Amino acid sequence: MPGGGEIEELFSIESLQFSVPTLFGLEGVCASEMRRLGLSGVRAENGRVLCAGTAADLVRLNLNLRTGERVLLVLGAFPAGDFDALFEGTRALPWEEVIPREGRFPVKGHSLNSTLRSVPACQAIIKKAVAARLGSRYKLATLPETGALYQIQFSLMGDVATLMLDTTGAGLHKRGYRAQGVAAPLRETLAAGLVLLSRYRGRDPLCDPFCGSGTIPIEAALIAKNRAPGLGRTFSAQKWDWLDKGLWVTAAGEAMDQEFEGEYEIWGGDIDPVAVALARHNAALAEVDGMVSFETADARTFHWGGLGGRVVTNPPYGERILERREAEELYRAFGRAWNKFPEGWKLYLLSSHTEFERTFGKQADKKRKLYNGMLKCDLFMYL
């Protein structure tokens, strides 16, 4: 960590540093994804994963990550105990190497345990410092900001400022296959995390009896097919002048070459026929409708045969959709249905209900804390 007023210069076009925010609880899953992609220096911290790479890796991370929320390019980090230090540290970074003369560079970020508590004030200081640096380099009193977006993000943690550029744009959970959803939808990155935590690889059945708009079965199909989740969308960095456009074409081709073909048993059910129709629509948009089947079904009487498989699901919590008592009755009935399942089946169920195990009727073999947005949950694993 930088100290003594010195700037820790991280940015170099040849050797880039990335910070990938995640939902709390998914840091380890995201780190495993990044190691499988061959990234170096992968390090998981609370709410983010750090790594080193190249411009080609910037593209590959955006296209392939299932559980990261966005890919941030780190420009530098430095001590910022007061506004003067924040201004000078920001101005010392090589912004002209990444932001062209016409580039738009709005600023946003957060402050935690820092003496600089006012986020709007920090935004204004950083904006002023970047404008001073770019104005000096481009010999302009006023920058036009009419070109591509170069969203600046800052993080102030314990009086150390980290300055980054958002390469992603709309969050990575926006795969492009869900234009709309039902009430309280599950974020795609969390759904993918649940499937990956269940160690599903497409070899056995996967069922979601509370499928809603189909996010868990669709993410399971993308994982089984090994389809890169970012192939159907665009990213901010695609418009950046210094980033070779051919890298996007190459990375997309490599990702498609690694897709699998096969027969998969992936099923989603929901008691609401409108949700089921929406799930089918979303699966078609994701181009996995031939891999997933959806039907109107009651989870209270849910059953599946065969030698084994896994149920990965996110039932209503009570706080958000049903009243608490109704949710408990639903858990109790689903627990009775689960007791009738044959040996070899595993259940991975996400809930924020503090009395879930009592109402379900059985203690989980394992539990893992996760967050659905800001809502603290547990992943209950019956193995």
Side-chain angles (χ1 to χ4, degrees), residues 56 59-60 63-64 225-228 230-232 238 245-260:
V59 174
R60 293 171 62 242
L63 285 175
N64 291 284
K225 189 178 177 63
N226 199 36
R227 182 173 180 82
L231 285 174
Q238 285 177 285
K245 303 292 189 291
L247 293 174
W248 298 94
V249 178
T250 300
E254 289 174 351
M256 288 186 284
D257 287 344
Q258 294 174 23
E259 291 184 9
F260 305 140

Side-chain angles (χ1 to χ4, degrees), residues 46-345:
N46 281 339
R48 66 178 184 175
V49 185
L50 307 175
C51 72
T54 63
D57 293 319
L58 181 159
V59 174
R60 293 171 62 242
L61 285 168
N62 273 299
L63 285 175
N64 291 284
L65 282 182
R66 301 185 190 280
T67 57
E69 292 300 312
R70 60 185 62 251
V71 180
L72 302 176
L73 173 60
V74 181
L75 269 291
F78 51 87
D82 55 43
F83 287 123
D84 286 341
L86 181 62
F87 180 89
E88 294 300 335
T90 300
R91 187 170 64 173
L93 294 174
W95 297 100
E96 69 280 359
E97 292 189 32
V98 289
I99 302 178
R101 183 180 180 276
E102 292 80 15
R104 291 181 290 129
F105 54 100
V107 180
K108 63 182 178 182
H110 63 270
S111 174
L112 183 65
N113 299 326
S114 171
T115 54
L116 304 181
R117 296 188 184 91
S118 172
V119 170
C122 292
Q123 286 175 298
I125 291 290
I126 292 169
K127 179 78 175 183
K128 184 178 178 181
V130 176
R133 171 92 182 202
L134 293 178
S136 173
R137 294 304 188 272
Y138 296 132
K139 303 189 185 317
L140 290 172
T142 303
L143 293 159
E145 292 201 60
T146 55
L149 174 66
Y150 296 79
Q151 175 69 61
I152 296 173
Q153 288 214 13
F154 69 87
S155 168
L156 275 165
M157 302 279 286
D159 294 339
V160 172
T162 303
L163 277 293
M164 300 161 284
L165 282 183
D166 179 6
T167 74
T168 302
L172 288 176
H173 68 279
K174 296 190 176 180
R175 316 290 206 215
Y177 66 73
R178 191 171 69 180
Q180 56 179 324
V182 294
L186 188 69
R187 185 172 284 201
E188 291 88 334
T189 43
L190 180 54
L194 299 181
V195 175
L196 291 171
L197 285 168
S198 80
R199 301 187 182 277
Y200 175 71
R201 297 294 182 270
R203 298 186 185 93
D204 50 8
L206 182 140
C207 302
D208 178 5
F210 298 96
C211 75
S213 57
T215 310
I216 290 175
I218 291 170
E219 291 295 322
L222 293 173
I223 289 168
K225 189 178 177 63
N226 199 36
R227 182 173 180 82
L231 285 174
R233 54 160 292 169
T234 59
F235 304 92
S236 285
Q238 285 177 285
K239 295 183 179 180
W240 292 1
D241 291 341
W242 61 268
L243 193 61
D244 182 359
K245 303 292 189 291
L247 293 174
W248 298 94
V249 178
T250 300
E254 289 174 351
M256 288 186 284
D257 287 344
Q258 294 174 23
E259 291 184 9
F260 305 140
E261 295 296 333
E263 297 291 328
Y264 304 100
E265 193 173 359
I266 304 171
W267 178 89
D270 199 279
I271 200 168
D272 181 1
V274 174
V276 171
L278 183 55
R280 289 175 179 149
H281 175 70
N282 290 340
L285 291 177
E287 299 180 358
V288 296
D289 46 322
M291 301 172 61
V292 186
S293 61
F294 293 102
E295 55 185 327
T296 305
D298 190 338
R300 293 171 295 185
T301 57
F302 173 63
H303 188 73
W304 207 270
L307 299 176
R310 64 206 66 213
V311 175
V312 182
T313 195
N314 175 51
Y317 298 160
E319 297 95 329
R320 305 176 71 188
I321 300 174
L322 301 177
E323 293 298 327
R324 188 177 180 87
R325 187 174 300 172
E326 290 176 315
E328 290 181 355
E329 286 299 322
L330 183 59
Y331 296 159
R332 195 170 288 114
F334 184 57
R336 290 193 293 268
W338 177 251
N339 284 335
K340 298 175 184 177
F341 262 69
E343 292 290 328
W345 278 83

